[in-house]
mmCIF file with all atom_site columns, all heavy atoms in Angstrom:
data_model
loop_
_atom_site.group_PDB
_atom_site.id
_atom_site.type_symbol
_atom_site.label_atom_id
_atom_site.label_alt_id
_atom_site.label_comp_id
_atom_site.label_asym_id
_atom_site.label_entity_id
_atom_site.label_seq_id
_atom_site.pdbx_PDB_ins_code
_atom_site.Cartn_x
_atom_site.Cartn_y
_atom_site.Cartn_z
_atom_site.occupancy
_atom_site.B_iso_or_equiv
_atom_site.pdbx_formal_charge
_atom_site.auth_seq_id
_atom_site.auth_comp_id
_atom_site.auth_asym_id
_atom_site.auth_atom_id
_atom_site.pdbx_PDB_model_num
ATOM 1   N N   . THR A 1 89  ? 76.448 117.206 72.097 1.00 0.00 ? 89  THR A N   1
ATOM 2   C CA  . THR A 1 89  ? 76.436 118.580 71.597 1.00 0.00 ? 89  THR A CA  1
ATOM 3   C C   . THR A 1 89  ? 77.407 119.445 72.392 1.00 0.00 ? 89  THR A C   1
ATOM 4   O O   . THR A 1 89  ? 77.874 120.460 71.921 1.00 0.00 ? 89  THR A O   1
ATOM 5   C CB  . THR A 1 89  ? 75.019 119.171 71.699 1.00 0.00 ? 89  THR A CB  1
ATOM 6   O OG1 . THR A 1 89  ? 74.538 118.933 73.018 1.00 0.00 ? 89  THR A OG1 1
ATOM 7   C CG2 . THR A 1 89  ? 74.073 118.523 70.707 1.00 0.00 ? 89  THR A CG2 1
ATOM 8   N N   . GLU A 1 90  ? 77.710 118.994 73.638 1.00 0.00 ? 90  GLU A N   1
ATOM 9   C CA  . GLU A 1 90  ? 78.671 119.712 74.479 1.00 0.00 ? 90  GLU A CA  1
ATOM 10  C C   . GLU A 1 90  ? 80.074 119.214 74.167 1.00 0.00 ? 90  GLU A C   1
ATOM 11  O O   . GLU A 1 90  ? 80.248 118.060 73.792 1.00 0.00 ? 90  GLU A O   1
ATOM 12  C CB  . GLU A 1 90  ? 78.393 119.407 75.951 1.00 0.00 ? 90  GLU A CB  1
ATOM 13  C CG  . GLU A 1 90  ? 77.027 119.805 76.413 1.00 0.00 ? 90  GLU A CG  1
ATOM 14  C CD  . GLU A 1 90  ? 76.983 121.267 76.788 1.00 0.00 ? 90  GLU A CD  1
ATOM 15  O OE1 . GLU A 1 90  ? 77.674 121.638 77.756 1.00 0.00 ? 90  GLU A OE1 1
ATOM 16  O OE2 . GLU A 1 90  ? 76.286 122.032 76.095 1.00 0.00 ? 90  GLU A OE2 1
ATOM 17  N N   . PRO A 1 91  ? 81.099 120.036 74.380 1.00 0.00 ? 91  PRO A N   1
ATOM 18  C CA  . PRO A 1 91  ? 82.476 119.534 74.216 1.00 0.00 ? 91  PRO A CA  1
ATOM 19  C C   . PRO A 1 91  ? 82.750 118.445 75.263 1.00 0.00 ? 91  PRO A C   1
ATOM 20  O O   . PRO A 1 91  ? 82.194 118.487 76.355 1.00 0.00 ? 91  PRO A O   1
ATOM 21  C CB  . PRO A 1 91  ? 83.345 120.759 74.499 1.00 0.00 ? 91  PRO A CB  1
ATOM 22  C CG  . PRO A 1 91  ? 82.435 121.903 74.711 1.00 0.00 ? 91  PRO A CG  1
ATOM 23  C CD  . PRO A 1 91  ? 81.026 121.418 74.786 1.00 0.00 ? 91  PRO A CD  1
ATOM 24  N N   . THR A 1 92  ? 83.564 117.455 74.897 1.00 0.00 ? 92  THR A N   1
ATOM 25  C CA  . THR A 1 92  ? 83.860 116.360 75.820 1.00 0.00 ? 92  THR A CA  1
ATOM 26  C C   . THR A 1 92  ? 84.947 116.759 76.809 1.00 0.00 ? 92  THR A C   1
ATOM 27  O O   . THR A 1 92  ? 85.967 117.315 76.423 1.00 0.00 ? 92  THR A O   1
ATOM 28  C CB  . THR A 1 92  ? 84.324 115.119 75.025 1.00 0.00 ? 92  THR A CB  1
ATOM 29  O OG1 . THR A 1 92  ? 83.312 114.827 74.087 1.00 0.00 ? 92  THR A OG1 1
ATOM 30  C CG2 . THR A 1 92  ? 84.544 113.936 75.944 1.00 0.00 ? 92  THR A CG2 1
ATOM 31  N N   . ASP A 1 93  ? 84.716 116.435 78.118 1.00 0.00 ? 93  ASP A N   1
ATOM 32  C CA  . ASP A 1 93  ? 85.719 116.726 79.141 1.00 0.00 ? 93  ASP A CA  1
ATOM 33  C C   . ASP A 1 93  ? 86.531 115.459 79.398 1.00 0.00 ? 93  ASP A C   1
ATOM 34  O O   . ASP A 1 93  ? 86.075 114.547 80.072 1.00 0.00 ? 93  ASP A O   1
ATOM 35  C CB  . ASP A 1 93  ? 85.012 117.175 80.425 1.00 0.00 ? 93  ASP A CB  1
ATOM 36  C CG  . ASP A 1 93  ? 85.995 117.401 81.568 1.00 0.00 ? 93  ASP A CG  1
ATOM 37  O OD1 . ASP A 1 93  ? 87.224 117.286 81.330 1.00 0.00 ? 93  ASP A OD1 1
ATOM 38  O OD2 . ASP A 1 93  ? 85.543 117.678 82.685 1.00 0.00 ? 93  ASP A OD2 1
ATOM 39  N N   . PHE A 1 94  ? 87.733 115.421 78.845 1.00 0.00 ? 94  PHE A N   1
ATOM 40  C CA  . PHE A 1 94  ? 88.544 114.204 78.968 1.00 0.00 ? 94  PHE A CA  1
ATOM 41  C C   . PHE A 1 94  ? 89.166 114.037 80.346 1.00 0.00 ? 94  PHE A C   1
ATOM 42  O O   . PHE A 1 94  ? 89.784 113.027 80.629 1.00 0.00 ? 94  PHE A O   1
ATOM 43  C CB  . PHE A 1 94  ? 89.628 114.190 77.878 1.00 0.00 ? 94  PHE A CB  1
ATOM 44  C CG  . PHE A 1 94  ? 89.056 114.011 76.501 1.00 0.00 ? 94  PHE A CG  1
ATOM 45  C CD1 . PHE A 1 94  ? 88.935 115.085 75.639 1.00 0.00 ? 94  PHE A CD1 1
ATOM 46  C CD2 . PHE A 1 94  ? 88.611 112.765 76.099 1.00 0.00 ? 94  PHE A CD2 1
ATOM 47  C CE1 . PHE A 1 94  ? 88.384 114.918 74.392 1.00 0.00 ? 94  PHE A CE1 1
ATOM 48  C CE2 . PHE A 1 94  ? 88.059 112.593 74.840 1.00 0.00 ? 94  PHE A CE2 1
ATOM 49  C CZ  . PHE A 1 94  ? 87.935 113.675 73.973 1.00 0.00 ? 94  PHE A CZ  1
ATOM 50  N N   . THR A 1 95  ? 89.015 115.040 81.207 1.00 0.00 ? 95  THR A N   1
ATOM 51  C CA  . THR A 1 95  ? 89.556 114.889 82.563 1.00 0.00 ? 95  THR A CA  1
ATOM 52  C C   . THR A 1 95  ? 88.511 114.333 83.529 1.00 0.00 ? 95  THR A C   1
ATOM 53  O O   . THR A 1 95  ? 88.810 114.064 84.684 1.00 0.00 ? 95  THR A O   1
ATOM 54  C CB  . THR A 1 95  ? 90.051 116.246 83.118 1.00 0.00 ? 95  THR A CB  1
ATOM 55  O OG1 . THR A 1 95  ? 88.919 117.108 83.276 1.00 0.00 ? 95  THR A OG1 1
ATOM 56  C CG2 . THR A 1 95  ? 91.053 116.890 82.200 1.00 0.00 ? 95  THR A CG2 1
ATOM 57  N N   . ALA A 1 96  ? 87.259 114.160 83.050 1.00 0.00 ? 96  ALA A N   1
ATOM 58  C CA  . ALA A 1 96  ? 86.222 113.624 83.931 1.00 0.00 ? 96  ALA A CA  1
ATOM 59  C C   . ALA A 1 96  ? 86.562 112.185 84.332 1.00 0.00 ? 96  ALA A C   1
ATOM 60  O O   . ALA A 1 96  ? 87.207 111.470 83.562 1.00 0.00 ? 96  ALA A O   1
ATOM 61  C CB  . ALA A 1 96  ? 84.873 113.669 83.220 1.00 0.00 ? 96  ALA A CB  1
ATOM 62  N N   . PRO A 1 97  ? 86.165 111.762 85.549 1.00 0.00 ? 97  PRO A N   1
ATOM 63  C CA  . PRO A 1 97  ? 86.491 110.395 85.973 1.00 0.00 ? 97  PRO A CA  1
ATOM 64  C C   . PRO A 1 97  ? 85.843 109.357 85.061 1.00 0.00 ? 97  PRO A C   1
ATOM 65  O O   . PRO A 1 97  ? 84.758 109.584 84.532 1.00 0.00 ? 97  PRO A O   1
ATOM 66  C CB  . PRO A 1 97  ? 85.924 110.311 87.389 1.00 0.00 ? 97  PRO A CB  1
ATOM 67  C CG  . PRO A 1 97  ? 85.058 111.500 87.565 1.00 0.00 ? 97  PRO A CG  1
ATOM 68  C CD  . PRO A 1 97  ? 85.429 112.520 86.558 1.00 0.00 ? 97  PRO A CD  1
ATOM 69  N N   . GLY A 1 98  ? 86.534 108.243 84.867 1.00 0.00 ? 98  GLY A N   1
ATOM 70  C CA  . GLY A 1 98  ? 86.024 107.212 83.984 1.00 0.00 ? 98  GLY A CA  1
ATOM 71  C C   . GLY A 1 98  ? 84.851 106.481 84.596 1.00 0.00 ? 98  GLY A C   1
ATOM 72  O O   . GLY A 1 98  ? 84.520 106.679 85.760 1.00 0.00 ? 98  GLY A O   1
ATOM 73  N N   . ARG A 1 99  ? 84.211 105.637 83.806 1.00 0.00 ? 99  ARG A N   1
ATOM 74  C CA  . ARG A 1 99  ? 83.051 104.906 84.302 1.00 0.00 ? 99  ARG A CA  1
ATOM 75  C C   . ARG A 1 99  ? 83.470 103.802 85.257 1.00 0.00 ? 99  ARG A C   1
ATOM 76  O O   . ARG A 1 99  ? 82.739 103.393 86.135 1.00 0.00 ? 99  ARG A O   1
ATOM 77  C CB  . ARG A 1 99  ? 82.278 104.304 83.135 1.00 0.00 ? 99  ARG A CB  1
ATOM 78  C CG  . ARG A 1 99  ? 81.381 105.333 82.487 1.00 0.00 ? 99  ARG A CG  1
ATOM 79  C CD  . ARG A 1 99  ? 80.182 104.674 81.912 1.00 0.00 ? 99  ARG A CD  1
ATOM 80  N NE  . ARG A 1 99  ? 80.515 103.990 80.678 1.00 0.00 ? 99  ARG A NE  1
ATOM 81  C CZ  . ARG A 1 99  ? 79.650 103.215 80.025 1.00 0.00 ? 99  ARG A CZ  1
ATOM 82  N NH1 . ARG A 1 99  ? 78.456 103.024 80.491 1.00 0.00 ? 99  ARG A NH1 1
ATOM 83  N NH2 . ARG A 1 99  ? 80.011 102.621 78.911 1.00 0.00 ? 99  ARG A NH2 1
ATOM 84  N N   . CYS A 1 100 ? 84.712 103.283 85.050 1.00 0.00 ? 100 CYS A N   1
ATOM 85  C CA  . CYS A 1 100 ? 85.198 102.217 85.922 1.00 0.00 ? 100 CYS A CA  1
ATOM 86  C C   . CYS A 1 100 ? 85.909 102.904 87.083 1.00 0.00 ? 100 CYS A C   1
ATOM 87  O O   . CYS A 1 100 ? 86.890 103.603 86.903 1.00 0.00 ? 100 CYS A O   1
ATOM 88  C CB  . CYS A 1 100 ? 86.137 101.325 85.124 1.00 0.00 ? 100 CYS A CB  1
ATOM 89  S SG  . CYS A 1 100 ? 87.417 100.574 86.051 1.00 0.00 ? 100 CYS A SG  1
ATOM 90  N N   . ARG A 1 101 ? 85.373 102.743 88.315 1.00 0.00 ? 101 ARG A N   1
ATOM 91  C CA  . ARG A 1 101 ? 85.910 103.477 89.449 1.00 0.00 ? 101 ARG A CA  1
ATOM 92  C C   . ARG A 1 101 ? 87.187 102.833 89.963 1.00 0.00 ? 101 ARG A C   1
ATOM 93  O O   . ARG A 1 101 ? 87.224 101.645 90.244 1.00 0.00 ? 101 ARG A O   1
ATOM 94  C CB  . ARG A 1 101 ? 84.882 103.520 90.580 1.00 0.00 ? 101 ARG A CB  1
ATOM 95  C CG  . ARG A 1 101 ? 83.682 104.350 90.213 1.00 0.00 ? 101 ARG A CG  1
ATOM 96  C CD  . ARG A 1 101 ? 83.084 104.994 91.434 1.00 0.00 ? 101 ARG A CD  1
ATOM 97  N NE  . ARG A 1 101 ? 82.661 103.999 92.414 1.00 0.00 ? 101 ARG A NE  1
ATOM 98  C CZ  . ARG A 1 101 ? 82.271 104.330 93.636 1.00 0.00 ? 101 ARG A CZ  1
ATOM 99  N NH1 . ARG A 1 101 ? 82.296 105.575 94.023 1.00 0.00 ? 101 ARG A NH1 1
ATOM 100 N NH2 . ARG A 1 101 ? 81.882 103.384 94.468 1.00 0.00 ? 101 ARG A NH2 1
ATOM 101 N N   . ARG A 1 102 ? 88.251 103.632 90.041 1.00 0.00 ? 102 ARG A N   1
ATOM 102 C CA  . ARG A 1 102 ? 89.493 103.124 90.613 1.00 0.00 ? 102 ARG A CA  1
ATOM 103 C C   . ARG A 1 102 ? 89.800 103.984 91.814 1.00 0.00 ? 102 ARG A C   1
ATOM 104 O O   . ARG A 1 102 ? 90.426 105.014 91.701 1.00 0.00 ? 102 ARG A O   1
ATOM 105 C CB  . ARG A 1 102 ? 90.613 103.235 89.581 1.00 0.00 ? 102 ARG A CB  1
ATOM 106 C CG  . ARG A 1 102 ? 91.025 101.906 89.002 1.00 0.00 ? 102 ARG A CG  1
ATOM 107 C CD  . ARG A 1 102 ? 92.189 102.068 88.088 1.00 0.00 ? 102 ARG A CD  1
ATOM 108 N NE  . ARG A 1 102 ? 93.440 101.772 88.746 1.00 0.00 ? 102 ARG A NE  1
ATOM 109 C CZ  . ARG A 1 102 ? 94.591 102.339 88.393 1.00 0.00 ? 102 ARG A CZ  1
ATOM 110 N NH1 . ARG A 1 102 ? 94.628 103.218 87.452 1.00 0.00 ? 102 ARG A NH1 1
ATOM 111 N NH2 . ARG A 1 102 ? 95.697 102.007 89.010 1.00 0.00 ? 102 ARG A NH2 1
#
Side-chain angles (χ1 to χ4, degrees):
T89 50
E90 300 276 295
T92 304
D93 176 4
F94 291 103
T95 66
R99 279 210 284 174
C100 149
R101 292 210 300 171
R102 253 185 97 209

